[in-house]
Amino acid sequence: MEDKGTVWLPVDASTMAGDIDSLFYFTYWVSIVIFVAVIAAIVYFVVKYRRRQANERTERVHESHLLELTWIVIPTILTMVVFTWGFQLFLKMGIAPPDAYEITVRGQKWSWEFEYPNGTISMNELRVPVNKPVRLVMSSEDVIHSLFIPAFRVKHDVLPNRYTAVWFEATKEGEYPLFCTEYCGTLHSGMLSKVFVLEQEEFKDWVDSGGGDFDDMPLEEYGEVLYTQQACIGCHSTDGTRLVGPSFQGIYGVDRVFDDGTSALGDDNYLREAILDPAAKIVAGYQNQMPPSYSSLNERQVSALIAYIKELQ
Ligand code: CUA
């Protein structure tokens, strides 16, 4: 994106952004005017009523009803304006248009999963059509996360055992950051994804193809795509670095030692089990942190990941 937004606000790329920014700038300028007026009054009074000689007493001051009314009435009006304006926006943000396109969002430690109406799933990459209202229905596999798309001015907690929803209508094609803004554990800061706003036809083709056409791709290459797309990258390095989970490098064909003292050869069948049923064997020195959701990977995806891991020797 060329447009980086302003000093205070990121680029505005949804129908709601303009309204929210106007309210922000209204509050901002009112605060600046009041701040400057109060500071100016302080400086003026400090100078005007400074003590000029020892034992000097000020004259008795009587209250001014006009002045008191002014500083009660004006701030009351201003707060009521901000309240009404904000409440209207709050309602608008809370109620999605009935024809909104619905995407299911699942937060988990530490990745985002997006599921489209036809069953297409993408990890850590949300794709949406431009100029079409989109509603996100969100829940969490584990702890509280929070979905934040600054460019759309959209932010909402994602809770376990409960659905929450937000909606937006993107107005500019492009790529925007999506963050988790609720501290959710070790790799909270790694829970960043991207939103891609696509032209409507392009979006439709992408969803219909099941999230990209990888049928002709060689297994190792597809595995590398999945490594990012399925968010393995959050917990497993490919260069031997220790993260939340063991690195993918140098585990194929090597004996794996588990926390119960047993061991097994890191072959295809071991890797298959480690992906589909991660709790079955826990490598010594690590904790059982991997979400069970990978059991929904299909046969080709599992083979592709194994082929990719095999390459990392
Ligand atoms: Cu999920 Cu922070």
Side-chain angles (χ1 to χ4, degrees), residues 107-112 142-146 180-185 187-189 191:
Q108 60 183 29
K109 294 191 284 186
W110 287 277
S111 59
W112 296 103
D142 35 52
V143 298
I144 301 179
H145 303 275
S146 182
C180 176
T181 46
E182 180 73 52
Y183 181 65
C184 54
L187 288 181
H188 155 70
S189 60
M191 235 177 126

Side-chain angles (χ1 to χ4, degrees), residues 112 138 145-148 154-159 164-166 181:
W112 296 103
M138 314 185 289
H145 303 275
S146 182
L147 179 129
F148 182 31
V154 156
K155 181 172 176 173
H156 209 295
D157 274 10
V158 177
L159 309 170
T164 54
V166 288
T181 46

Side-chain angles (χ1 to χ4, degrees), residues 266-286:
D267 60 6
D268 294 53
N269 278 315
Y270 160 73
L271 289 173
R272 184 190 171 75
E273 183 188 55
I275 295 168
L276 297 177
D277 186 12
K281 297 187 177 79
I282 304 300
V283 175
Y286 291 89

Side-chain angles (χ1 to χ4, degrees), residues 140-273:
S140 166
E141 300 268 359
D142 35 52
V143 298
I144 301 179
H145 303 275
S146 182
L147 179 129
F148 182 31
I149 310 172
F152 299 167
R153 312 292 189 267
V154 156
K155 181 172 176 173
H156 209 295
D157 274 10
V158 177
L159 309 170
N161 307 321
R162 189 184 302 187
Y163 293 104
T164 54
V166 288
W167 80 274
F168 55 81
E169 182 177 330
T171 51
K172 291 175 191 162
E173 285 170 45
E175 188 187 318
Y176 309 96
L178 181 156
F179 301 102
C180 176
T181 46
E182 180 73 52
Y183 181 65
C184 54
T186 317
L187 288 181
H188 155 70
S189 60
M191 235 177 126
L192 31 91
S193 305
K194 279 179 181 155
V195 187
F196 294 93
V197 179
L198 306 178
E199 194 265 314
Q200 297 202 0
E201 274 302 305
E202 198 188 337
F203 172 78
K204 194 176 169 298
D205 291 346
W206 178 81
V207 171
D208 290 347
S209 76
D213 193 2
F214 302 110
D215 287 353
D216 296 331
M217 206 178 238
L219 277 184
E220 310 87 50
E221 277 175 41
Y222 183 37
E224 192 173 353
V225 171
L226 290 170
Y227 172 68
T228 313
Q229 204 185 58
Q230 294 292 330
C232 316
I233 193 170
C235 302
H236 302 277
S237 76
T238 54
D239 61 0
T241 311
R242 183 197 163 105
L243 298 175
V244 168
S247 176
F248 278 176
Q249 194 189 48
I251 59 175
Y252 189 78
V254 174
D255 266 338
R256 312 292 291 150
V257 181
F258 306 114
D259 60 358
D260 59 1
T262 60
S263 66
L265 182 67
D267 60 6
D268 294 53
N269 278 315
Y270 160 73
L271 289 173
R272 184 190 171 75
E273 183 188 55

Side-chain angles (χ1 to χ4, degrees), residues 26-45:
F26 175 79
T27 322
Y28 171 79
W29 284 113
V30 164
S31 308
I32 286 190
V33 168
I34 293 178
F35 175 77
V36 169
V38 168
I39 297 296
I42 290 175
V43 172
Y44 174 75
F45 289 139

